[in-house]
């Protein structure tokens, strides 16, 4: 794999400006004018609406700015304390399989969480990464409670990916109540700090860089 350029942006990145910069970078990658890139950043509080977003899932439309975006998925929240990972990668050089690429991203998050002894898991029909919460009351059907710790939503343009991943480090979890996150009503959201782990954004960044290459170059996960 050629060198991927990593950039960590300080402060809170304006969403519209970041999206425009990401679009420009994707175009540059397509034309061979820039290397693939991973951006690590935080946004001010906002909601994004993916291509499958349902109006009824925007519970508090006036709470934070709402940005319609072209990525897959439904409503998501971004805000301080959440690590947003934008991935601008050439999927045509990675098995040229969208489903496989999403699984690679999920497994990358799972590997990074494992650095903190957190067991992240995927669930059929629920994109993203989940953790079981045995200390919480079980669901009505008797299954253990589960909370989402990371969301994934991507878009491809001529096989170059953009948008990406959000991982909850220490966001204000009450901010998620303004939406039905990813359209899932039966489960909650959590963060590394909510799980009792004193993990910083810098700690997570180290784990993400450490686990990236192995996760993204492995054979397509089953």
């Amino acid at each position: 794999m050629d060198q991927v350029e990593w950039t960590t942006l300080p402060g809170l990145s304006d969403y519209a400006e970041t999206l425009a910069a990401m679009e420009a970078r994707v175009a540059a990658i397509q034309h061979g004018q820039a290397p693939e890139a991973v951006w690590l950043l935080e946004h001010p509080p906002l909601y994004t609406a993916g291509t499958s977003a349902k109006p009824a899932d925007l519970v508090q439309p006036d709470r934070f700015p709402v940005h319609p975006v072209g990525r897959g998925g439904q409503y998501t929240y971004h805000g301080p304390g959440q690590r947003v990972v934008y991935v601008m990668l050439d999927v045509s050089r990675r098995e040229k399989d969208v489903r496989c690429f999403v699984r690679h991203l999920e497994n990358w998050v799972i590997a990074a969480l494992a650095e903190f002894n957190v067991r992240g898991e995927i669930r059929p029909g629920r994109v993203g990464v989940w953790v079981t919460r045995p200390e919480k009351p079980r669901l009505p059907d008797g299954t253990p409670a589960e909370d989402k710790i990371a969301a994934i939503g991507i878009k491809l343009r001529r096989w170059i990916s953009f948008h990406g991943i959000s991982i909850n480090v220490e966001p204000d979890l009450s901010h998620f109540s303004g939406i039905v996150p990813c359209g899932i009503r039966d489960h909650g959201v959590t963060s590394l700090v909510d799980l009792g782990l004193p993990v910083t954004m810098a700690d997570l960044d180290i784990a993400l860089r450490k686990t990236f290459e192995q996760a993204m170059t492995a054979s397509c996960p089953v």
Side-chain angles (χ1 to χ4, degrees):
M1 182 188 300
D2 293 338
Q3 185 68 33
V4 174
E5 181 182 85
W6 290 71
T7 301
T8 303
L9 301 177
L12 300 178
S13 299
D14 179 84
Y15 188 79
E17 291 178 3
T18 305
L19 186 60
M22 186 162 44
E23 296 257 7
R25 182 55 178 258
V26 167
I29 294 170
Q30 289 171 345
H31 292 95
Q33 299 170 345
E36 297 175 302
V38 174
W39 293 351
L40 305 172
L41 54 97
E42 294 174 79
H43 285 305
L46 59 93
Y47 298 129
T48 67
T51 55
S52 301
K54 301 174 183 177
D57 288 344
L58 182 59
V59 180
Q60 298 177 13
D62 299 323
R63 186 170 186 180
F64 298 124
V66 180
H67 296 266
V69 292
R71 59 149 179 83
Q74 303 186 43
Y75 281 106
T76 60
Y77 166 76
H78 294 315
Q82 181 190 74
R83 176 51 88 213
V84 175
V85 186
Y86 287 135
V87 289
M88 288 146 279
L89 303 173
D90 187 347
V91 179
S92 69
R93 298 168 53 218
R94 295 172 169 81
E95 298 180 303
K96 208 171 186 178
D97 184 320
V98 178
R99 184 172 297 180
C100 178
F101 182 67
V102 172
R103 288 298 303 274
H104 279 309
L105 294 176
E106 290 173 332
N107 283 356
W108 179 27
V109 173
I110 289 169
L113 294 176
E115 293 290 306
F116 309 106
N117 295 315
V118 174
R119 181 181 175 85
E121 299 177 297
I122 58 175
R123 294 289 182 261
R126 289 194 260 136
V127 175
V129 178
W130 300 80
V131 293
T132 57
R133 304 299 302 272
E135 73 279 13
K136 289 188 172 184
R138 287 179 171 260
L139 298 177
D141 64 1
T143 58
E146 296 181 340
D147 288 339
K148 193 171 195 175
I149 195 167
I152 295 175
I154 63 165
K155 181 178 180 179
L156 298 185
R157 180 171 297 152
R158 297 180 183 175
W159 291 105
I160 306 299
S161 68
F162 55 117
H163 297 284
I165 302 166
S166 58
I167 304 172
N168 297 329
V169 179
E170 192 180 8
D172 184 337
L173 295 178
S174 72
H175 288 180
F176 285 87
S177 64
I179 57 172
V180 178
C182 300
I184 299 171
R185 297 178 180 273
D186 297 333
H187 300 280
V189 291
T190 189
S191 68
L192 288 165
V193 171
D194 183 52
L195 293 173
L197 300 169
V199 177
T200 68
M201 202 69 72
D203 294 332
L204 178 61
D205 291 349
I206 291 170
L208 288 167
R209 295 194 67 151
K210 177 182 177 181
T211 56
F212 174 79
E213 185 170 355
Q214 182 174 353
M216 298 303 293
T217 58
S219 298
C220 186
V222 177

